[in-house]
Amino acid sequence: MAKKKIRVDKEQAKKRVDKIFPLLKKAYPDAKIALVHKGPVQLLVATIMSAQCTDVRVNIVTKDLFKKYKDVRAFAECDLGELEEDIRSTGFYRNKAKNIKAACAAIVEDFGGEVPRRSE
């Protein structure tokens, strides 16, 4: 069965976000990101690892992971099998490692090593 593409009107989506975001900010003024990170690359990696995993476990793993892989290029060029072992305890580690490596490679190749601020 072929997947059906969903068309999103970006202008309408932006209007909805512009209405919803202030409401969320008012309802949860002290909301913080539970994933420990220093910068957008680390947040991206931690977020990928957080699927079907607790933030506590991700923070345990990233403590050593971010010492080993110091920047986006290190993740992009790493040995996939080694990265799998490094994140094994987060579950679904093969897919997570593949996605981390691919995302970082795309950031290096397409965006000069900088995580883009917008998804356009």
Side-chain angles (χ1 to χ4, degrees):
M1 176 187 249
K3 288 186 179 180
K4 185 177 179 181
K5 279 198 169 188
I6 298 173
R7 295 192 183 264
V8 176
D9 181 331
K10 288 185 180 183
E11 190 61 35
Q12 279 187 326
K14 183 176 177 352
K15 286 178 184 177
R16 287 186 72 201
V17 168
D18 289 344
K19 286 181 183 178
I20 294 169
F21 190 72
L23 297 173
L24 289 171
K25 201 164 176 96
K26 184 177 179 182
Y28 304 99
D30 298 324
K32 304 231 183 318
I33 296 172
L35 298 170
V36 177
H37 66 284
K38 293 179 183 171
V41 172
Q42 288 187 1
L43 180 58
L44 173 66
V45 170
T47 301
I48 292 170
M49 290 194 318
S50 71
Q52 300 294 311
C53 185
T54 67
D55 291 345
V56 171
R57 167 57 53 192
V58 171
N59 288 337
I60 291 168
V61 172
T62 56
K63 186 175 181 180
D64 291 329
L65 191 74
F66 294 154
K67 289 177 186 173
K68 182 174 183 177
Y69 303 99
K70 298 198 184 293
D71 58 25
V72 70
R73 190 169 300 280
F75 281 108
E77 296 173 354
C78 73
D79 176 78
L80 186 58
E82 192 171 338
L83 180 58
E84 288 175 356
E85 287 305 311
D86 292 336
I87 68 169
R88 187 190 248 326
S89 67
T90 66
F92 302 98
Y93 61 92
R94 286 190 178 96
N95 279 332
K96 290 177 183 182
K98 181 179 69 171
N99 290 329
I100 290 167
K101 185 172 171 71
C104 290
I107 290 167
V108 169
E109 292 171 24
D110 300 339
F111 301 101
E114 296 291 324
V115 176
R117 306 277 301 153
R118 301 182 64 108
S119 62
E120 295 175 12

